[in-house]
Amino acid sequence: SQQGEEDPQALSIQEGENATMNCSYKTSINNLQWYRQNSGRGLVHLILIRSNEREKHSGRLRVTLDTSKKSSSLLITASRAADTASYFCATGYSSYKLIFGSGTRLLVRP
Amino acid sequence: EAGVTQFPSHSVIEKGQTVTLRCDPISGHDNLYWYRRVMGKEIKFLLHFVKESKQDESGMPNNRFLAERTGGTYSTLKVQPAELEDSGVYFCASSQGQGTTGNTIYFGEGSWLTVV
C-alpha cells in the first residue's frame, strides 16, 4: 500500500499546548499536503510541501518533510479549541492523485 | 472567489435507487477529482477529469458508478443502483493545472450519502 499513515490516531491536549502529528508513507512522492476536516464538514487545505523542501510555515502551522525517512510532521503551536478536527496527510505520487492517510483526531480541551 | 461546491450536501436514499451528485469546481480549474470516504475508512481517489476528458478512473469501484463532465465545467457522479456499502461522503476537488511538482487540490464540503 502506498497510503500514508498518521500517528497518533488520536490526540488530546489542553488549549495553549502544541500538537504534533506525524505521517509516514512508503514510496517516493512529488509533494505532501495536509488537510483538516471538522466534524461533518469538508476538507480544508492547510499546507503543501514539495519533495525538495524540508520545512514550511503557515501561521501557527509548521510542516517538515524528511524524504529519507519518508515521513512528515505537522506542528500546531498554541492550540485553540477551534483546532479540534481530524487532520490528514495526503501524498502526491503524480501531479494529480492524492493518497490519504487514515487521519489523526485532535481534541483541544478549553 | 467561490470554492468547490457540491450538491446535495446530504442525501438519504433506499437501496436500489439512483442518486446523482453534482460538483462545481473553482472557476478556471481544468482538473476535477472525485474522492470518497466510506465507513470511516481512508479517503480514496475515484477519478480525475481534465476538462471533459477522463484521465484516470482507476478508483471507480464498479460499473454502478458513472461520472461525467460534459462541457468541462461541472461534473456529476451517478450511483445506480445504490447499495448499502455506498454510504459515505463523496468529495469533489479541483486544481489549476497539473505540473510535475504538484498543485494545491481544493476540496468541497462533500456530499454525505446514506443508503438504507
Side-chain angles (χ1 to χ4, degrees):
Chain A
S1 169
Q2 295 178 329
Q3 289 176 338
E5 296 183 2
E6 280 92 341
D7 169 52
Q9 289 187 328
L11 179 62
S12 179
I13 60 174
Q14 200 71 35
E15 197 166 31
E17 294 180 336
N18 295 341
T20 299
M21 289 159 269
N22 303 296
C23 169
S24 60
Y25 55 93
K26 297 184 179 179
T27 64
S28 296
I29 61 173
N30 288 331
N31 61 80
L32 187 147
Q33 306 190 39
W34 283 91
Y35 290 84
R36 182 186 74 229
Q37 184 184 22
N38 292 80
S39 180
R41 303 299 299 275
L43 291 166
V44 175
H45 183 264
L46 296 176
I47 200 162
L48 179 153
I49 186 166
R50 294 184 169 82
S51 59
N52 61 352
E53 297 175 315
R54 293 295 168 260
E55 187 172 313
K56 284 190 83 169
H57 297 256
S58 177
R60 294 184 295 112
L61 306 180
R62 173 177 170 256
V63 168
T64 62
L65 179 64
D66 187 334
T67 53
S68 66
K69 295 181 179 178
K70 293 185 171 58
S71 68
S72 174
S73 67
L74 170 66
L75 169 67
I76 304 174
T77 60
S79 64
R80 305 167 183 169
D83 294 329
T84 293
S86 291
Y87 291 81
F88 297 89
C89 71
T91 45
Y93 294 92
S94 66
S95 58
Y96 60 84
K97 190 172 180 176
L98 295 177
I99 307 295
F100 281 85
S102 53
T104 294
R105 296 186 311 277
L106 173 66
L107 171 65
V108 181
R109 304 186 304 275
Chain B
E1 180 182 341
V4 177
T5 57
Q6 293 186 243
F7 181 84
S9 58
H10 293 80
S11 181
V12 180
I13 63 171
E14 293 184 348
K15 177 182 173 181
Q17 289 186 323
T18 297
V19 63
T20 300
L21 310 177
R22 172 172 170 144
C23 169
D24 287 78
I26 294 173
S27 177
H29 283 192
D30 288 338
N31 293 273
L32 185 148
Y33 321 83
W34 285 96
Y35 287 76
R36 75 169 183 174
R37 188 181 190 195
V38 297
M39 298 296 291
K41 295 185 178 178
E42 292 83 7
I43 301 164
K44 294 236 175 131
F45 169 84
L46 295 179
L47 88 160
H48 168 223
F49 284 99
V50 176
K51 297 184 179 178
E52 69 276 9
S53 299
K54 291 179 186 175
Q55 291 292 105
D56 182 351
E57 52 184 330
S58 61
M60 295 288 265
N62 52 62
N63 59 11
R64 294 186 294 103
F65 290 76
L66 175 65
E68 294 180 319
R69 194 183 181 195
T70 306
T73 54
Y74 70 91
S75 173
T76 58
L77 179 64
K78 180 188 289 187
V79 185
Q80 179 183 30
E83 299 289 344
L84 298 178
E85 63 265 25
D86 300 331
S87 296
V89 57
Y90 291 77
F91 291 108
C92 178
S94 72
S95 69
Q96 186 175 40
Q98 294 191 55
T100 57
T101 57
N103 290 274
T104 299
I105 298 178
Y106 298 93
F107 282 76
E109 292 283 305
S111 287
W112 299 75
L113 174 65
T114 302
V115 183
V116 297

